[in-house]
Amino acid sequence: MKKILVKKFGGTSIGHPERLRSIVDIIKNSRTDSFPIVVVSAISGQTKSLGSTTLLLKALENAEHDLDFESELHSIFSQHQAVVTGVVGASGEAVLEMIEAELEQVRKFLSAIRIIKEASPRSLDYILSVGERLSAMLVSQVLTILGVKSTAVDLSHVLNVPFNADTDEIYREASVAFKRFLERLVVFDESYQIPVVTGFFGPLPKGMMDTVGRGYTDLTSALIARGFGREKVSEVQIWKEVDGVFSSDPRKVESAKVLANISPLEASELTYFGSEVIHPYTMEQVIAGGMPIRVLNSLKPELPGTLIKDSSHVIPGVPTAVTAKGGISVVSITSTKMFYARGFLARLFGVLRDFGVVVDLVSTSEITVSWTIDDLAALDKAIPKLREFGELEILRNRAIVAVVGEGLKGSSKIVSKMLLSLSDAGIEPDIITQASSQVSVSCVVKEEDSERAVKAVHAALFQNQSTQLARGT
């Protein structure tokens, strides 16, 4: 019996004619043994500053400040025009007319914002939804022109949740709402028309950016899969332009290998520490719905990619990957008031909460507490209050180097090898911490040393370990 296969494609691939042709072939080939549901991001340019979402946000900002926004809208149309023309030529004239009509609605909306000079969270959501709507329209129409029955699906008005709903409630409701909406639009039989779904969904009480942030298309894919359930969905596929998840950044570590399997917990840790595997909230849906996720290369669809599922692959004493996250600062407070004091840390972190300071790692001793952050702007406002707790020290230009893997549990050898490799490379960590889950061990080093640190740790932990390398082949 055919099952649903949820396929997410990023804006970088959709925004390039040759890559979009590859995507069309991937979708075509999946029709024979599954019901593909395609989820798309907004078209991206060669850099994020040229992507549709960034241009739309810039246009909104211009409108708020009574500035012209036509150049941004023109750039967005030109990008879509280049893709459509590059794939289907003159046959895409009707698609371009649809895109132009959508942008005309945006133009009217921005003109109104220009008058009132203020954009609400709902206005921001509308602008964000346009990029995915254009992308879904483009991909769906290209598929149809090339002989694949398809329909564009807009999720930007599907959800209806109370203003005070928490994220868990929103995601539960979204998964149910997406299933019902799609079932009304498509019939899962031989007449099946492939739905091309917007990654953006809504409306959300506090807006998409505050609730989820960028990269929400991964989450949408997982929510759709969760809604239909494990019995109807074979897996969620996240199509990128890399071969899968690597044991380290292959651009910096030549010996890095593609990992055949990782667990949702490992994927979350890797994303948190800078590897950008999948949007972190997506992992929660994977765990809740029991859905396997596969990371694949849209340019090399024949490769198996990396499967994210349970922990059956884990080998005790064998790590999964080494990653690094730059742009970090270390903040330390030293005070004898901490010694045997009750509530000191609660008051300290209450100040950080009040000023919106997000903490990554924390290390404490009897009289010193240190933590890492990646947003100094928020910290600057809190500094006067923080000085009331004790002597304040800030170390800037740092990076977190992390070893990730469920195989770390109960294995002191991995930590000792990591620290010895750093010592041999002449690198002195500022902080060393291990997560309570024992899925990662991290240290903070000077940012200028981070690439050398990753190479040294990867060499110590992965080279000449046939068991680990077998996971990546």
Side-chain angles (χ1 to χ4, degrees):
M1 185 181 71
K2 282 186 179 183
K3 283 194 169 186
I4 293 170
L5 190 58
V6 182
K7 294 173 171 287
K8 178 260 180 175
F9 294 99
T12 304
S13 297
I14 297 168
H16 190 284
E18 286 298 324
R19 295 169 188 172
L20 181 55
R21 287 193 190 97
S22 177
I23 289 173
V24 169
D25 289 339
I26 290 167
I27 296 170
K28 273 185 178 180
N29 294 335
S30 67
R31 287 186 308 165
T32 56
D33 56 3
S34 68
F35 294 116
I37 294 177
V38 177
V39 184
V40 294
S41 300
I43 281 183
S44 300
Q46 293 181 342
T47 63
K48 284 189 177 180
S49 62
L50 297 175
S52 293
T53 299
T54 301
L55 289 169
L56 285 163
L57 291 174
K58 178 62 177 174
L60 179 62
E61 181 185 351
N62 286 353
E64 284 186 283
H65 292 88
D66 196 20
L67 299 173
D68 186 66
F69 45 76
E70 284 299 328
S71 63
E72 284 76 20
L73 298 187
H74 176 73
S75 294
I76 292 168
F77 179 79
S78 297
Q79 287 178 356
H80 289 76
Q81 182 182 41
V83 176
V84 172
T85 304
V87 179
V88 297
S91 301
E93 185 177 343
V95 189
L96 295 177
E97 289 177 359
M98 294 169 67
I99 291 170
E100 201 162 21
E102 182 71 32
L103 289 175
E104 179 58 29
Q105 294 302 311
V106 176
R107 184 175 286 105
K108 292 177 180 177
F109 176 83
L110 291 175
S111 296
I113 294 294
R114 195 170 181 177
I115 293 171
I116 63 175
K117 297 181 177 61
E118 184 178 357
S120 65
R122 187 62 59 88
S123 299
L124 177 60
D125 269 5
Y126 168 73
I127 284 295
L128 286 173
S129 71
V130 171
E132 270 80 14
R133 202 153 50 241
L134 292 173
S135 193
M137 190 185 301
L138 185 155
V139 174
S140 172
Q141 289 299 310
V142 165
L143 282 168
T144 301
I145 291 169
L146 296 177
V148 182
K149 291 185 291 186
S150 177
T151 182
V153 179
D154 180 9
L155 295 183
S156 62
H157 298 288
V158 171
L159 201 56
N160 183 21
V161 293
F163 185 81
N164 60 351
D166 60 28
T167 52
D168 288 339
E169 182 182 356
I170 289 171
Y171 296 154
R172 283 194 304 270
E173 292 296 322
S175 63
V176 173
F178 296 167
K179 175 180 181 289
R180 289 174 178 168
F181 192 66
L182 285 165
E183 284 181 330
R184 289 198 298 267
L185 289 176
V186 296
V187 180
F188 294 90
D189 60 16
E190 293 305 314
S191 65
Y192 184 70
Q193 291 192 19
I194 297 173
V196 180
V197 184
T198 60
F200 182 95
F201 63 90
L204 296 179
K206 297 178 183 178
M208 178 64 84
M209 293 298 278
D210 283 349
T211 305
V212 182
R214 286 206 180 196
Y216 42 76
T217 312
D218 289 349
L219 175 61
T220 304
S221 305
L223 288 169
I224 290 171
R226 180 181 173 184
F228 281 98
R230 185 70 183 91
E231 67 283 356
K232 292 185 178 180
V233 178
S234 56
E235 66 182 29
V236 178
Q237 296 180 345
I238 308 295
W239 291 85
K240 296 174 173 283
E241 293 179 3
V242 294
D243 294 346
V245 181
F246 284 78
S247 58
S248 194
D249 188 339
R251 296 168 298 182
K252 299 175 181 177
V253 181
E254 292 182 1
S255 58
K257 301 290 183 178
V258 177
L259 300 167
N261 304 278
I262 61 174
S263 71
L265 193 53
E266 289 171 335
S268 296
E269 290 284 319
L270 285 170
T271 299
Y272 179 76
F273 287 118
S275 289
E276 296 186 10
V277 178
I278 287 176
H279 193 289
Y281 293 162
T282 302
M283 291 298 100
E284 298 175 6
Q285 306 309 312
V286 173
I287 295 168
M291 305 294 169
I293 290 185
R294 193 179 298 273
V295 179
L296 294 152
N297 190 339
S298 58
L299 302 178
K300 303 175 185 175
E302 70 279 3
L303 297 181
T306 299
L307 186 64
I308 305 174
K309 54 177 302 187
D310 56 38
S311 304
S312 58
H313 65 278
V314 173
I315 302 170
V318 178
T320 296
V322 182
T323 187
K325 179 182 181 181
I328 298 297
S329 297
V330 178
V331 187
S332 299
I333 296 264
T334 300
S335 173
T336 54
K337 296 176 184 177
M338 284 182 63
F339 194 71
Y340 284 120
R342 295 181 179 178
F344 183 92
L345 291 179
R347 294 193 301 275
L348 174 62
F349 283 94
V351 169
L352 299 180
R353 177 201 61 211
D354 293 342
F355 283 89
V357 179
V358 178
V359 174
D360 292 323
L361 304 179
V362 179
S363 175
T364 64
S365 67
E366 289 292 351
I367 61 170
T368 300
V369 56
S370 302
W371 64 92
T372 64
I373 62 170
D374 58 12
D375 183 4
L376 281 173
L379 177 72
D380 288 342
K381 299 175 184 177
I383 283 177
K385 282 287 185 181
L386 292 175
R387 291 193 188 280
E388 296 176 8
F389 288 87
E391 183 181 344
L392 179 69
E393 181 184 24
I394 302 175
L395 301 177
R396 303 170 191 265
N397 302 316
R398 292 315 197 253
I400 298 173
V401 175
V403 177
V404 173
E406 293 201 45
L408 271 67
K409 295 177 180 178
S411 177
S412 59
K413 290 183 179 179
I414 295 175
V415 179
S416 62
K417 281 184 178 181
M418 176 186 183
L419 297 179
L420 182 60
S421 68
L422 292 174
S423 177
D424 289 344
I427 298 171
E428 295 293 333
D430 294 308
I431 295 177
I432 301 166
T433 66
Q434 183 162 17
S436 59
S437 63
Q438 297 184 34
V439 178
S440 66
V441 58
S442 312
C443 64
V444 177
V445 302
K446 292 179 180 178
E447 190 153 21
E448 64 193 48
D449 293 333
S450 63
E451 186 170 332
R452 196 158 51 92
V454 169
K455 288 180 177 178
V457 174
H458 191 274
L461 295 181
F462 295 107
Q463 289 179 11
N464 302 319
Q465 288 194 21
S466 57
T467 305
Q468 172 64 22
L469 296 185
R471 281 184 55 186
T473 57

